[in-house]
Every structure is written in C-alpha cells, then in structure tokens.
Amino acid sequence: MNKFSPIEIKKVWGKETWLSSTHPNGFQKDFASFLGGEYPLLVKIIEAEDSLAVQVHPDDEKAELYEHSLGGTKCWYVLEAKPNSKIVYGLNGVYTPSELRHSVESKKLEDCLRYVDVKAGDFIFLPSGTVHSFAGGMKLLEIRESSDVAYRLFDFERGRDCYVERAISCIKSDRVRNVTKAPGAFSCPYFTIEDIGVEGEYSGVFDKAPGKKLPCDHNLIYVVEGSGTMNGIKVNEGELYVATPGETLEAIGDMHLLKIIPTGPKHR
C-alpha cells in the first residue's frame, strides 16, 4: 500500500484537493511513476465556501468530440454539510434547448433546476449529462472519470466564461436518481465502490477490475473517518492509499473505509 502527495487547487468557490490523479491539470508524478501509466479515475476532496457554477459534464462521445477527453460521470459522497444544505441535481422538468437558452438569457435558470436536500453521509450519483451544482458549507468526496471538462450554464455573475450552447447539447434530463445514504456497495461502468467498516480487525483482498483488462486497475482506499493501521501503516481520516490487486488488506482500529475500483473504460 502506498500514499502519494495530494495536489491542492484553489477555486473561486473554495478548493479541491486531488488525491489520485494522472490528469494533466493535477498530475501526481509519484502516483504516475508508481502505476507506470495513466489512471482512469480522479479522486478529489471538494471544500465549498460558495456555490459551484451550475454546469454539466459531457459524456464520453461529446467529450471526445469537443475536447479529446474522457467524459464526466462521477459521484459525490457528502463528508460534511451545514444544516439545510442543498445541491442542484438535474432539471425539474423536460425542457427544449430553446427553453433552456431563454431561461439562461433571462436569468431565470433557477426556475428549471431540481434542488435536493443533502446531509453528511449522503451519496449522489451524477452520470455525465446531469446538470448540477452545490451550495457553500459542504465537503465532498468526488470519484470520477479522469477528466476536467465542465460547461457552465450559470456562474453567479463571477465573470468567468459560460459555455451555454455546449452545455445544453450535453444535457441528459432522465439520468438522475434519488439521493441515498451511502449504499454499502455501488457500481457503474466506470467505478465500483464498497464501504468497509473496521471495528477491531478486518481482513480482505484487493480486487481486480471486474470483467475488463485496464491499463491500471489498482484499488484505492479512502479513510472516511476514524484511524488505525492498514498493513502496519498508521492511517488517519481523510487519507487515500493505493493498493495492487491481489494484495491483502489487514486493518486494525475503528474506521470507516471506502474501497474504490476502476471498472473501465480504458483511458484514451
């Protein structure tokens, strides 16, 4: 098991800490050197002091067409949230491109958005094409395809460029799900995650990527809360470690861990 140097990126709304990345916008040299190649996932901590722009990520096809990039399917695991926190999670109805364009131009986009209450411990799956945003006062773990492409619909008058036409072309209105408590286990075409509770001792084996041969299918394990040891290494809340498939995990302590496995597709 190995731990690598995170990369902190300041944002107008707060900051991101990239914990596992071979993406050019936050390239971890030590991580890439250990892997011997690119990694298909990007894992980050998001700490929001203000609202994220209302935005959408393209799917793999449009991301390749527009940016020569992977798409933006991801999930959020809410680590902290102030009372009455909300996220934008999709649209509240079916709108034509013309209707959405008019709502942006007339500054009434909020009338088209679906707002959802969230709290610590909630899990949100955000397939590419999902309109989304979050309010300030939240801390999120984000697991996503290794991409940094987002098209803003609205940015709260902060002066940054918006890409309304591309954003509208990427929206898929039928992809949202209910916000749930952490599901214990979850899988999509890009990643599988599994909650692991350690109360005293735990033993397990890190998995290979199911059904696919990936360039790098190393497992990630994030310490959601608590502390203890993993394979004799002292670990603490908020840390992320990398393990080779087939490696045995021996954990001791009182911890909530999250195992993350890439399931595809191959990187570009």
Side-chain angles (χ1 to χ4, degrees), residues 23-84:
H23 191 280
N25 291 354
F27 187 73
Q28 292 173 293
K29 293 181 181 179
D30 51 359
F31 181 43
S33 177
F34 171 74
L35 295 174
E38 296 179 32
Y39 197 65
L41 299 179
L42 167 59
V43 178
K44 63 176 78 169
I45 299 294
I46 296 171
E47 296 178 78
E49 299 171 1
D50 200 354
S51 294
L52 176 75
V54 179
Q55 60 184 246
V56 63
H57 302 304
D59 62 18
D60 290 333
E61 291 74 21
K62 281 197 166 62
E64 178 65 27
L65 175 65
Y66 292 151
E67 310 285 349
H68 195 48
S69 169
L70 296 177
T73 292
K74 65 184 182 181
C75 69
W76 287 335
Y77 193 116
V78 182
L79 301 173
E80 299 175 10
K82 68 181 183 181
N84 303 313

Side-chain angles (χ1 to χ4, degrees), residues 172-244:
K172 298 181 180 182
S173 300
D174 59 347
R175 312 195 79 189
V176 298
R177 306 183 181 189
N178 291 331
V179 172
T180 65
K181 294 292 290 182
F186 175 84
S187 188
C188 73
Y190 302 97
F191 49 80
T192 293
I193 60 176
E194 177 187 343
D195 280 292
I196 297 174
V198 179
E199 296 179 354
E201 297 184 5
Y202 172 88
S203 181
V205 177
F206 289 105
D207 304 290
K208 292 185 179 296
K212 296 186 179 182
K213 182 175 177 58
L214 300 178
C216 290
D217 59 359
H218 291 66
N219 289 203
L220 307 176
I221 191 155
Y222 178 75
V223 185
V224 179
E225 59 183 350
S227 61
T229 63
M230 293 192 298
N231 294 1
I233 300 170
K234 175 66 176 177
V235 301
N236 296 293
E237 182 177 313
E239 296 177 337
L240 182 133
Y241 291 82
V242 183
T244 304

